[in-house]
Structure formats: C-alpha cells, structure tokens
Amino acid sequence: KLGATQIEKHLRGLKEDGSDVIGVYPLFPDGSCRFLVFDFDNHDRGAEGHDYANIDDNWISEVNALREIGKENGIPMLVERSRSGKGAHVWFFFDAAISASLARRFGFSLLDKGAESVNMTSFRFYDRMLQAQDYIEDGGLGNLIALPLQGQALKNGNSAFVDENWNAYPNQWHALQSVSKLSQTKIEELLMEWNISSA
C-alpha cells in the first residue's frame, strides 16, 4: 500500500534518476476499475533506456485526433505529457467502478470508431490500454501505470496534464479535480450508438 511518505516523494521528485516514481494497479480484485488510460509512449525494445520516448513528434497528431473524437462524442479526458516529454497518456475517469471488460470494450470501440470519424486508418502510435486485461488471474496484480505529477519531470513541464496547445495547466490539481467523469450509462449509450454490444 502507498503511504503519505511515498506519495510526497513522488510529488516532490527529489531523485534525479526518477527512482521515487510511484504507480498504481488500476484493476480491482473483482474485475472493476475507476479509470482507463491510453498509452502513446514508445515501448519498443530498448526504449526503456530513454524513458519510453517516441523518436519523433508524429504521435502528437494522433493524440490531438483523439481529443477531437472526445469533443464530438461528449467524452471527457485528460492528456498527460509523459515524463520523457516525448509521449502521452490519455486518461478517462469513471464516476463509479465499472467492469474492466466494459471499460476496455469502450476503449477499443473509441479507437476504432473514432479513427473512422477523423479519417484515420488506425492509431499508429497508440501502444496499449491500461488496464490491459478484463480480470486478475491467480491473485495477480494486473498492469502497473506510473502516476502523473512526478516532481522531477514536472520541472520540465512533463508528467503534467496539458491543454489543447500542449501547455501544462497552471493549476494541475484544478485540472484533475474539474475533469468530468464518465458514467456507465454514457458508455453503454455510446456503444449502442456505435452498434457494439455492452455485454
């Protein structure tokens, strides 16, 4: 379990090597979750040596397209520039715990239908969705995701929530607290609209 000391170390970011970064396992033991994240970082072999940085800036247009998809469909999201500054996490928050299978079905559908709506064949730089499974097997923990607002990276405007111009919000806590949360009803309505079963 995370304690106040670990959280403070993460937020203050006193270690230049980032060894005080903390993360969470978003999947609860009952197969539910409270958020979903799209990862637009580079997870090619060896990329961990460069904090999973993408090698160019083409990923930015894909994240911008995803923002546009969200606007068109009334889907609130927060974009976090990664610690490297060369990638992003796109966060969707739910107003209550929902099944991970429903959350993931929504995520995949959003990518598929959304790509069609902005005339993209696919999201080439999208790497993975977290959580990455519908349920936990044999007492496992699922997939870990690093938390945003890590102090060391924030000094360079990274690990920060950013606006549509890719500027870090001046008040990160306000940005986080004010983002709307998706309801299960809204997700099910969208899946129905997209002719995708929510079951």
Side-chain angles (χ1 to χ4, degrees):
K1 287 186 174 182
L2 289 178
T5 301
Q6 288 90 348
I7 294 170
E8 182 182 358
K9 286 180 179 178
H10 172 89
L11 294 173
R12 290 170 64 87
L14 299 178
K15 297 192 176 180
E16 291 189 12
D17 64 358
S19 60
D20 48 8
V21 174
I22 59 174
V24 294
Y25 295 94
L27 189 57
F28 295 131
D30 66 355
S32 67
C33 60
R34 293 294 303 254
F35 63 83
L36 187 69
V37 180
F38 290 167
D39 188 344
F40 285 84
D41 289 335
N42 178 9
H43 285 269
D44 291 341
R45 182 174 299 195
E48 65 277 3
H50 304 284
D51 210 4
Y52 303 101
N54 286 304
I55 59 174
D56 57 38
D57 289 335
N58 292 331
W59 56 275
I60 292 175
S61 63
E62 293 192 6
V63 177
N64 288 340
L66 190 59
R67 282 189 198 263
E68 189 60 34
I69 293 160
K71 280 185 181 177
E72 291 174 4
N73 292 279
I75 301 169
M77 64 185 76
L78 268 180
V79 175
E80 172 208 355
R81 185 166 39 233
S82 299
R83 291 196 315 270
S84 68
K86 288 285 194 174
H89 295 150
V90 181
W91 296 76
F92 304 86
F93 298 97
F94 309 131
D95 65 1
I98 66 171
S99 73
S101 61
L102 176 61
R104 286 166 45 76
R105 193 173 304 113
F106 161 71
F108 286 123
S109 302
L110 178 60
L111 290 170
D112 291 343
K113 295 297 179 180
E116 292 174 11
S117 74
V118 291
N119 299 316
M120 292 176 65
T121 55
S122 67
F123 285 91
R124 188 164 61 92
F125 290 88
Y126 159 78
D127 180 66
R128 59 183 176 162
M129 188 185 306
L130 294 161
Q131 47 291 333
Q133 64 265 94
D134 292 346
Y135 55 89
I136 297 173
E137 295 182 7
D138 302 324
L141 295 173
N143 292 90
L144 180 73
I145 181 166
L147 291 175
L149 308 181
Q150 196 273 330
Q152 190 64 224
L154 274 174
K155 294 174 183 176
N156 298 315
N158 300 329
S159 190
F161 298 117
V162 295
D163 63 20
E164 294 182 0
N165 295 313
W166 291 88
N167 296 314
Y169 289 109
N171 188 327
Q172 291 287 302
W173 293 110
H174 177 73
L176 182 58
Q177 291 172 333
S178 60
V179 67
S180 297
K181 297 178 175 66
L182 279 165
S183 68
Q184 181 168 332
T185 300
K186 171 67 173 178
I187 290 171
E188 290 172 344
E189 287 174 353
L190 285 168
L191 292 176
M192 186 178 298
E193 183 181 323
W194 297 335
N195 295 315
I196 297 167
S197 171
S198 62

